[in-house]
Amino acid sequence: AQSVTQLGSHVSVSEGALVLLRCNYSSSVPPYLFWYVQYPNQGLQLLLKYTSAATLVKGINGFEAEFKKSETSFHLTKPSAHMSDAAEYFCAVSVRAGANNLFFGTGTRLTVIP
Amino acid sequence: KAGVTQTPRYLIKTRGQQVTLSCSPISGHRSVSWYQQTPGQGLQFLFEYFSETQRNKGNFPGRFSGRQFSNSRSEMNVSTLELGDSALYLCASSLGLPDEQYFGPGTRLTVT
């Protein structure tokens, strides 16, 4: 079975500070991992994905994530927070070849303080 | 390139009624997946269609059903609506591999 745990349902950072959103996964086979962002009243937008290539993945809007198999983690980071980063962030895992069912974490709401 | 579109965006229904939601994927995408998002349960996978066939199904009752047409457009239907079906229903399309999925804006269903 596969699952995702996001530590911290709410994270607040100051504008310009480091953003760190945590995600740990559980999977019996090598996973595909994703980070999505959701702005109010909108759908999900893909930030980045890990599909067994480079372990350090760069995404849009300055975000990146590192796949650490030994820690079963895929934490999302951004060096300097911007006001426009305020949103809800979801980590997701997909493991079965040929299947497109994503298992999502419970989400982390990021607040950026001016 | 047009994104994933979902219609309607908002819907209010009464308990016991049925509802049909529509999703048009990105041109060329053959896989359409549906998700339910609620404050209590978060984002949950409903089902996926690929080339008009249901390829995967989540853990939802039979009241939730879907289909996909030859042009890859998909519909999902919920019969005998319950208050707990109130949610944001998201549709996502992809080329078909377990690759990135592109989400639509969702249909917000309110059951009264």
Side-chain angles (χ1 to χ4, degrees), chain A residues 23-107:
Chain A
C23 172
N24 288 88
Y25 69 90
S26 171
S27 174
S28 56
V29 297
Y32 298 113
L33 293 160
F34 306 83
W35 274 100
Y36 283 87
V37 62
Q38 186 176 35
Y39 297 99
N41 299 315
Q42 294 188 27
L44 302 173
Q45 180 183 12
L46 180 69
L47 281 175
L48 48 80
K49 63 178 181 180
Y50 167 78
T51 55
S52 75
T55 56
L56 182 61
V57 181
K58 294 188 183 299
I60 63 171
N61 301 339
F63 285 95
E64 63 180 37
E66 186 173 7
F67 173 72
K68 291 187 177 180
K69 184 178 178 180
S70 60
E71 299 177 9
T72 61
S73 68
F74 190 58
H75 302 332
L76 181 71
T77 61
K78 181 174 180 178
S80 177
H82 192 272
M83 295 300 294
S84 61
D85 295 327
E88 188 145 23
Y89 293 79
F90 293 93
C91 182
V93 62
S94 173
V95 295
R96 211 177 82 179
N100 257 331
N101 48 317
L102 291 169
F103 293 86
F104 285 90
T106 51

Side-chain angles (χ1 to χ4, degrees), chain B residues 4-18:
Chain B
V4 177
T5 58
Q6 292 187 245
T7 56
R9 291 292 312 277
Y10 301 91
L11 206 49
I12 300 175
K13 289 286 188 178
T14 304
R15 265 183 306 175
Q17 289 185 316
Q18 72 154 10

Side-chain angles (χ1 to χ4, degrees), chain B residues 31-69:
Chain B
S31 168
V32 173
S33 297
W34 288 89
Y35 295 84
Q36 181 196 65
Q37 185 177 24
T38 61
Q41 299 298 318
L43 280 153
Q44 297 184 90
F45 171 74
L46 280 156
F47 31 64
E48 182 214 1
Y49 285 86
F50 181 80
S51 294
E52 301 179 65
T53 301
Q54 188 180 86
R55 187 161 70 170
N56 282 294
K57 188 178 188 306
N59 189 26
F60 277 81
R63 300 186 298 106
F64 292 81
S65 63
R67 59 177 175 169
Q68 186 179 35
F69 302 95

